[in-house]
Amino acid sequence: MKLQCEVEVINRMLPSFGMRNRGKGTRAVLSVGRQEGKRGSAYLMICTLKDKAGSRYKLENNIEQLFTRFLGEGKATLRLKEPAVDICLSKAEISSLKNFISAVGLANKGADIGTVLLPRLTPAKTSEIEKPRAKMFITTKKDYPITKSFPYSLEHLQVSYCKLARVDMRMLCLKKLQKLDLSNNHIKKLPKTIGDLVCLQELILNNNLLESFEVVLCSTTLRDTLKSLDLSANKLKALPVQICNFKELVSLKLDENELLQLPFPIGQLSKLRFLSATKNKLQCLPNTFKKLSLEKLDLFGNPFIQATPLVPDIQLKIPLPLLETATRATLNYRIPYGPHLIPATLCQDLSMAKTCDCGLPCFSSFIQTVVLMNLHQVSQTVVLVDSMGGTEGPIACYFCSLTCYSQFLDKYLQSTRV
């Protein structure tokens, strides 16, 4: 039984000699076991970096009191009879501390101690005593670990300028990882298992060679954890609509790619506050873009087209095809669907649904037009869209019928007269 925590050993006799304790804990490993050659006797051993051999204290009938009031905060105190010391434990993992205190209590009572085969006390390794490493930064290829594994305790890992052609599978075993920075490498494809990083909040992949973002990643635990995604300076031509499943996303960077359009349902990203997509090939913005509520928006350097509200692209089909009727009804009546119920291709069609101004979905039968929108309507700060100082952007609008388009046209003409 071992426990990693901070320990302070307080001598209760010091105040009587006018002396004070140091008052600061030290990183240590505590073990309960038997001394060499002493079968059945339980001892507590405390190993620190300065004392790796460890200090030993007898436990059986030697604990005056256990203080466990703050056990839920990872703290406890063992008061020994001989020597007269208080062993104060802090910053311990709560469940491990509870198990450890339970074992110490049994050892004090001598309960079944003769029948339990206690492990022999051995000095702790340096790696056991050291505080778990939370951050690692590797910025040159010569520093990249080839034979050694990454510390299991990492929460922030940066591996940049190492010419990585793929994501190292050893990184995908770091279950505590919250931030992964793989910028400035040669990565062409992301592994599906990157979604196994259940605590990942920030994923930085700028300046790589990515040509696609895997759809399967959008259905992993990243949907519930990812808050920041940087895909700048890659070779992306499109993003899957499923990327809008990242409901916790706050920051999205897409600069310097080859994107022709943003995903239709981007308006679903209700927590998105920072969006940057400069120097792409965007011609207009999707209709749901109007639903965003951003703090900063940067779309500079895109070849946006002119607004043409009076020149619609009419692709209405009369009568409506059966597929169009069925897909509209599925969404209108909120009928559950999935690849286990209908063909996967139909699921993809449903995810690509456009939304009419009336709120109803449309697929292959619609009227499309492009209108200008002042981007300050969706963002507090807007970086200039062009070198002329403009802050307006073209929005693609869809209408499910002539009636909806006529109503839009009436409103538009009235606003231009004013």
Side-chain angles (χ1 to χ4, degrees):
M1 173 68 71
K2 289 188 176 183
L3 177 70
Q4 293 178 324
C5 63
E6 288 194 1
V7 176
E8 182 185 3
V9 179
I10 299 175
N11 191 324
R12 299 198 299 275
M13 302 301 293
L14 288 182
S16 61
F17 296 105
M19 301 175 66
R20 298 177 61 185
N21 287 283
R22 188 164 63 98
K24 187 177 180 181
T26 303
R27 191 74 188 173
V29 172
L30 284 71
S31 307
V32 174
R34 60 181 175 81
Q35 298 225 64
E36 186 71 35
K38 296 186 179 181
R39 196 173 185 83
S41 298
Y43 281 77
L44 171 67
M45 182 171 70
I46 303 175
C47 298
T48 64
L49 287 175
K50 291 185 178 180
D51 181 17
K52 295 178 184 176
S55 301
R56 293 168 169 81
Y57 302 92
K58 186 179 180 181
L59 290 178
E60 189 171 354
N61 298 319
N62 194 36
I63 296 180
E64 185 175 314
Q65 192 171 353
L66 285 173
F67 298 93
T68 58
R69 182 178 178 182
F70 298 103
L71 206 61
E73 298 178 12
K75 301 176 182 178
T77 299
L78 285 66
R79 173 163 289 179
L80 301 184
K81 298 175 182 177
E82 290 292 336
V85 297
D86 289 349
I87 302 174
C88 302
L89 315 180
S90 62
K91 298 184 180 180
E93 200 277 320
I94 295 173
S95 60
S96 299
L97 178 59
K98 288 180 179 178
N99 292 334
F100 189 82
I101 291 297
S102 178
V104 167
L106 289 173
N108 176 54
K109 296 176 182 177
D112 298 326
I113 206 70
T115 61
V116 176
L117 185 60
L118 290 172
R120 183 169 57 88
L121 292 174
T122 55
K125 299 177 182 178
T126 302
S127 59
E128 291 181 306
I129 304 173
E130 288 180 333
K131 188 176 182 179
R133 191 171 182 180
K135 297 181 180 181
M136 176 180 277
F137 304 96
I138 302 170
T139 54
T140 59
K141 194 171 183 180
K142 64 181 180 64
D143 293 332
Y144 191 80
I146 302 297
T147 56
K148 296 191 299 182
S149 60
F150 293 99
Y152 73 94
S153 55
L154 283 181
E155 296 177 4
H156 179 182
L157 173 62
Q158 178 183 352
V159 181
S160 302
Y161 302 101
C162 293
K163 298 182 179 180
L164 293 182
R166 61 181 64 87
V167 179
D168 193 329
M169 300 305 288
R170 292 177 297 169
M171 300 176 188
L172 307 180
C173 298
L174 304 175
K175 300 303 180 183
K176 296 182 179 180
L177 203 62
Q178 297 180 22
K179 182 176 182 178
L180 177 59
D181 184 348
L182 298 175
S183 59
N184 297 285
N185 283 292
H186 298 163
I187 299 170
K188 293 183 177 181
K189 189 176 181 180
L190 297 176
K192 299 175 183 178
T193 46
I194 202 169
D196 295 338
L197 298 174
V198 296
C199 295
L200 194 64
Q201 297 181 17
E202 294 185 57
L203 181 58
I204 303 173
L205 297 163
N206 62 289
N207 287 286
N208 276 284
L209 302 174
L210 292 173
E211 295 180 353
S212 64
F213 189 86
E214 299 297 322
V215 175
V216 68
L217 295 178
C218 303
S219 58
T220 63
T221 54
L222 294 179
R223 291 183 305 176
D224 303 316
T225 62
L226 197 63
K227 295 182 179 179
S228 179
L229 177 61
D230 189 348
L231 297 172
S232 302
N234 279 281
K235 296 184 176 182
L236 298 170
K237 294 183 178 180
L239 291 174
V241 294
Q242 291 84 356
I243 201 169
C244 299
N245 291 341
F246 294 148
K247 57 186 180 182
E248 298 298 320
L249 205 60
V250 174
S251 175
L252 178 60
K253 295 182 179 180
L254 304 169
D255 308 308
E256 298 182 50
N257 278 286
E258 301 172 22
L259 295 174
L260 299 174
Q261 60 184 12
L262 296 177
F264 289 125
I266 194 168
Q268 294 178 8
L269 298 175
S270 59
K271 294 187 178 181
L272 192 65
R273 296 294 177 265
F274 304 93
L275 174 60
S276 180
T278 63
K279 298 181 181 179
N280 277 278
K281 297 180 180 180
L282 301 177
Q283 293 187 334
C284 62
L285 303 171
N287 192 28
T288 60
F289 199 86
K290 295 181 289 187
K291 297 180 180 180
L292 292 175
S293 180
L294 305 173
E295 293 182 19
K296 184 176 181 180
L297 172 64
D298 191 354
L299 297 173
F300 182 81
N302 282 287
F304 286 129
I305 60 176
Q306 294 294 319
T308 55
L310 302 179
V311 187
D313 177 15
I314 301 176
Q315 297 190 32
L316 287 177
K317 298 175 182 178
I318 301 173
L320 287 179
L322 180 60
L323 179 60
E324 180 83 13
T325 303
T327 48
R328 287 189 183 190
T330 300
L331 294 183
N332 287 343
Y333 297 109
R334 299 181 180 179
I335 300 173
Y337 66 89
H340 61 294
L341 296 173
I342 60 176
T345 52
L346 291 182
C347 291
Q348 187 173 355
D349 288 341
L350 286 163
S351 65
M352 297 284 286
K354 306 166 184 67
T355 305
C356 175
D357 270 15
C358 71
L360 295 178
C362 49
F363 298 86
S364 60
S365 178
F366 55 83
I367 299 175
Q368 178 187 349
T369 189
V370 178
V371 299
L372 275 183
M373 182 183 75
N374 190 329
L375 298 177
H376 280 292
Q377 294 179 25
V378 297
S379 179
Q380 296 177 15
T381 303
V382 178
V383 177
L384 300 181
V385 174
D386 52 44
S387 57
M388 302 299 292
T391 58
E392 293 184 325
I395 301 286
C397 295
Y398 296 90
F399 307 94
C400 63
S401 66
L402 281 170
T403 302
C404 289
Y405 176 65
S406 298
Q407 291 173 353
F408 156 78
L409 204 56
D410 289 341
K411 293 178 183 178
Y412 175 77
L413 293 174
Q414 289 176 9
S415 64
T416 54
R417 289 193 193 103
V418 175

